Amino acid sequence: MLSTLLPSAPKVCEGFINSSQGLELDQEGTRAYMAAAMVGKTLLDSAWLAARSTEVEATGVLLTTTMQPSGPSPPWVEAAIPGTVLGTLLKNKLVPDPFYGLNNESIVDIADSGREYYTFWFFTTFESKLKGSQYIDLNFRAINYSGEVYLNGHQKILPKGMFRRHSLDITDIINREGKNLLAVLIHPPDHPGTIPPEGGQGGDHEIGKDVAAQYVEGWDWMTPIRDRNTGIWDEVSISVTGPVKLDDPHLVSSFFDDYERSYLHTTVDLENKSSLPAECSLTIQVTAELDEEMRLLEHVQSYELLIPPGTLITYTIPPLLFDKPNLWWPNGMGKQYLYNVELSVDVKGFGESDSWSHQFGFRKIESIIDEATGGRLFKVNGQQIFIRGGNWILSDGLLRLSAKRYMTDIKFHADMNFNMIRCWGGGLAERPEFYHYCDVYGILVWQEFWITGDCDGRGMPISNPNGPLDHDLFLLCARDTVKLLRNHASLALWVGGNEQTPPKDINTALINDLMLHPLFKCSDETYNLAEESDDPSQYLDGTRAYVQGSMWDGFANGKGDFTDGPYEIQYPEDFFKDDFYQYGFNPEVGSVGIPVATTIRATMPPEGWQIPSFQKLSTGYIEEIPNPIWDYHKYIPYSNPEKVHDQIEAYGHPKDLDDFCEKAQLVNYVQYRALLEGWTSRMWTKYTGVLIWKTQNPWTGLRGQFYDHLHDQTAGFYGCRSAAEPIHVQLNLSTYYIEVVNTTSNELSDVAIEISVWDLDGACPYYKVTEKFSVAAKKVSPIVEMNYPKSTNAKPVYFLLLKLFRVSDSNIIISRNFYWLHLPDSDYNALELHHGKKVPLKITSHVSTTESTYNIQVEVHNASKNSNSAILGSLLNNHKNAGEKYDGGLQCSRPEISRIIEIEETDPGVAFFLHFSVHSANVEEAAVDSRILPVHYSDNYFSLVPGEELSINISFEVSEGITPKVLLAGWNYHEEIQVY
């Protein structure tokens, strides 16, 4: 094993090759390779044109020989590549934004227009300068649904299937010394289906006959996508190699001696595309980044091969030994350590023929059914992990996918302290960029194949009981997806389908294809690597489990019955009760998700700004009646007549949109914090995990989300962030015992809890500090009953602040949790009186910038004086969170700027439900939406008791020429305060 220091190389990982490397654009936008073509991949992601096929008279042969489009003139327009037909039409303002208001209703649906209407030509040009012994492939990482490629008058076929890669050898038809003309005709899915008047889950289910995303016919959370996502929806590239090409490397790490020793296993396909034998040197290099300027060379080995002409071989590299490797851990369990693995092949007489690199995490994932709970139990590197995460459809319903958007999406999940995302079966096989950021931020991924109960035999009307029409195509797409994604550390589980299993023959094939290698079937070390002939990297996967469906084998009741859910508003205390959910792992439980008022105004016309009408029923319950636009955007009410009283009305009847959305954020916070705290309260004794339905919407929906489609967080985001802390202090809302959760692998010792109750006048009628105690690793311990509600003079509405701290250093707050509560048979209406309180604040901002990135640290101090201050401990005046993470850093090219603002009010009390937002100072105040998004906050929607101070980190990027301003608002502050 080598240990050599090297200067750090530029960060280039698989799927993130710079599209400008080795090329420049001429005045006509044509790609031209500099000098000779470089070995490697070049993205073709710009200078595309598109036109409806029925409006183009020329054939593909003519388009790529004598009748090429001259530019964006009718019928040709600039195309969105990667993207969909609908995305291209929207880019050119030929359709209205389908996600705004009721615009989608004015866009022609493919069921009414016919498939030809959304059958489109896409056209581009590029130049090449290939050497005689170089080869070139044209690659489509995914299209929907089938296509024909024409290059310089030659035709090639792109077969059916949304989830398969296409690689076309174009060496013999490329113009080696000049311009190449490329035209691609893309056809929609064969069975786009019809949308019934009542809508429904997957429309009429016809889309289930194809191997494609099924959500496109609409769902109870999604409007129909009119073109059914037709298009070149993933990257297009050209790859230049020498005589030998590398393909589909498979990396596997195995572990021995209690993870002190690891082997890296590697198998790779090598294809000799030439007519001569190829004498090759295959090299593997593994490096570990120490810092931005230095990396450690862990291994470099070369192997001599002779590959016959026109032959593809599979070669397994002898395992590489690593002593005490740095392990990859999920979010909340440790660091996400990634090694850079590079493969290259040199051919005698040519030089480097091809290369490949990937950021690889050493880790082992196990998944079994827990005997104690019946739930599926996950282990990573031998450690149990309690799953708290969410369901994911896709980032954007028009497939406007980008690495930058994926980074925000996944970081948001990490910011919520989540550790798993479930990629739902009616959505996508997610892209390598998605998985890359899950690797970086430590989010485990459950990836489903493209089966749903609704479209595949269990929906109404019942259709497609045997799944897609072409089972061989389904399996081809499944196997290709495995090869595309299997090297990612974050990928934890394959699942056959959503609320359904694949047809028997497909399921049997997947069970066999995804069979675990013996090294990953058991946790003991009886397996002798040296004595076995089958290296684990020779398997299609072999390292992670396959489960046949989302309600089978440790999920829901494990038998496939509809035992996931529920999906509507709940009383917060119900999540803690014995009878709320009976099974060990709930794959779907959902609730409300209204965004902030600014998002409503930004995504709907004024008639959509009307809040629901509240109709009181004879039973005393309230039924919310939303306006038609909210109904179209799938709004979930905050009441459930005959079961749950309206949770917004509990804070007082909303006066307008702003009041409604602010009170909705209070409910969002309480609802989702209680959901996760309730589940975590029974960690390992009743539950092994829970996934919330769902974390976000791929459009401007009004249900089940922690951030909206514009990337602004709801308060539920921060309720989850609090509840899912690795170490957490919480109030059991059913027993009123204060509990401490320790999900880590280490005992928590030398700790105590400060408990303080505050009334609406800023007084502290109850204060207590517990005795020192310990909590074992991966345990939940009830510590003390919170008995203030039983006291004689308990207030109807009160605030509770819990702080878990290190006794030996009371300045270190390990966990802080703030509740607003009411006595039984009461509500929160008294908080309306708190609206009028003007609580004094002192706000200090420290600002630093690096190019377009702002990092702002804001210290907010509740300057209230109160008569109880003499009896309160010093903890109330300090909050230094031991586990705080802040990715932005404060290294900057411009000096730090500080600003202090004092709000000199006279009313002592709790500064309640404060929240920051970032805006452009360049936009007129009358504008509907001036927000800068996305923004990462270390916390938001927070409250401060008298004398308390909290530090919030804010980071964001701005476009050139934009000056940002940061505003603070809250329950006590209707007029926003500019803090920067």
Side-chain angles (χ1 to χ4, degrees), residues 377-394:
L377 174 64
F378 289 86
K379 290 184 179 181
V380 179
N381 303 330
Q383 298 291 330
Q384 291 184 180
I385 176 171
F386 189 71
I387 297 298
R388 293 176 291 188
N391 285 265
W392 168 273
I393 314 302
L394 70 163

Side-chain angles (χ1 to χ4, degrees), residues 58-180:
T59 64
V61 172
L62 292 175
L63 287 173
T64 57
T65 52
T66 60
M67 296 181 63
Q68 73 175 87
S70 59
S73 59
W76 295 93
V77 296
E78 293 182 358
I81 300 293
T84 64
V85 168
L86 198 57
T88 287
L89 296 175
L90 179 60
K91 177 180 179 178
N92 291 277
K93 300 181 179 179
L94 298 174
V95 295
D97 183 351
F99 297 165
Y100 183 87
L102 299 177
N103 281 353
N104 198 52
E105 289 298 284
S106 67
I107 301 175
V108 177
D109 191 83
I110 194 171
D112 302 316
S113 66
R115 293 174 67 245
E116 295 79 9
Y117 187 80
Y118 286 111
T119 299
F120 265 62
W121 281 107
F122 297 90
F123 179 88
T124 193
T125 65
F126 61 92
E127 290 193 4
S128 63
K129 292 187 179 180
L130 286 186
K131 293 189 295 186
S133 53
Q134 287 184 321
Y135 294 80
I136 185 167
D137 289 340
L138 174 62
N139 310 299
F140 296 84
R141 205 164 68 180
I143 65 164
N144 191 26
Y145 184 63
S146 60
E148 304 160 33
V149 173
Y150 295 85
L151 179 64
N152 303 330
H154 299 270
Q155 183 193 37
K156 289 182 177 286
I157 299 300
L158 299 177
K160 297 176 182 178
M162 187 175 179
F163 305 111
R164 63 186 297 181
R165 295 169 294 169
H166 305 269
S167 186
L168 308 175
D169 188 336
I170 58 173
T171 306
D172 294 338
I173 60 176
I174 198 163
N175 184 351
R176 288 176 170 262
E177 293 292 337
K179 181 182 290 187
N180 291 273

Side-chain angles (χ1 to χ4, degrees), residues 39-40 133 240-247 249 268-273 277-285 301-307 311 313 315 317 342-357:
V39 169
S133 53
V240 176
T241 69
V244 175
K245 174 186 175 182
L246 299 173
D247 206 7
V268 60
D269 290 342
L270 299 100
E271 180 184 5
N272 182 0
K273 305 180 81 171
E279 295 183 43
C280 303
S281 177
L282 175 65
T283 300
I284 182 169
Q285 177 176 289
Q301 300 286 343
S302 295
Y303 309 90
E304 303 304 314
L305 308 173
L306 179 64
I307 306 177
T311 302
I313 68 167
Y315 183 76
I317 294 174
E342 300 177 33
L343 293 174
S344 61
V345 58
D346 283 47
V347 176
K348 185 177 181 180
F350 179 85
E352 184 174 279
S353 182
D354 200 5
S355 64
W356 176 91
S357 67

Side-chain angles (χ1 to χ4, degrees), residues 840-910:
L841 294 177
K842 181 180 179 181
I843 306 165
T844 305
S845 302
H846 308 282
V847 183
S848 62
T849 60
T850 305
E851 297 178 349
S852 61
T853 301
Y854 280 72
N855 295 303
I856 303 177
Q857 185 179 46
V858 185
E859 296 162 2
V860 186
H861 175 66
N862 183 340
S864 296
K865 305 294 183 183
N866 65 83
S867 58
N868 303 84
S869 59
I871 67 169
L872 298 182
S874 62
L875 286 179
L876 288 174
N877 301 315
N878 296 280
H879 183 199
K880 189 185 296 180
N881 195 323
E884 191 63 69
K885 296 185 293 184
Y886 181 42
D887 291 350
L890 290 175
Q891 297 80 18
C892 56
S893 58
R894 280 181 271 173
E896 188 174 293
I897 302 170
S898 296
R899 180 177 181 179
I900 299 175
I901 295 175
E902 295 193 48
I903 312 299
E904 297 181 352
E905 303 291 354
T906 57
D907 295 334
V910 172

Side-chain angles (χ1 to χ4, degrees), residues 136 217 282 287 490 623 699:
I136 185 167
E217 281 200 67
L282 175 65
T287 58
S490 55
E623 181 180 6
W699 78 305

Side-chain angles (χ1 to χ4, degrees), residues 45 125 326 337 339 416-417 449 472 685 767 840:
D45 58 358
T125 65
N326 292 303
Y337 204 92
Y339 289 82
M416 286 187 282
N417 289 313
F449 296 111
D472 289 339
T685 59
Y767 180 82

Side-chain angles (χ1 to χ4, degrees), residues 110 115 144-145 162-163 187-195 200-219 225-230 424-427 450-452 454-456 463-464 467-470 473-474:
I110 194 171
R115 293 174 67 245
N144 191 26
Y145 184 63
M162 187 175 179
F163 305 111
H187 301 278
D190 292 348
H191 302 89
T194 300
I195 312 303
Q201 313 291 81
D204 64 358
H205 308 150
E206 282 292 289
I207 194 68
K209 293 179 178 177
D210 296 330
V211 183
Q214 297 182 357
Y215 79 94
V216 292
E217 281 200 67
W219 227 266
I225 303 297
R226 300 306 186 188
D227 69 344
R228 307 295 190 265
N229 282 158
T230 300
W424 175 74
W450 319 284
I451 295 288
T452 68
D454 299 278
C455 290
D456 295 291
S463 59
N464 311 314
L469 295 179
D470 191 337
L473 174 60
F474 186 97

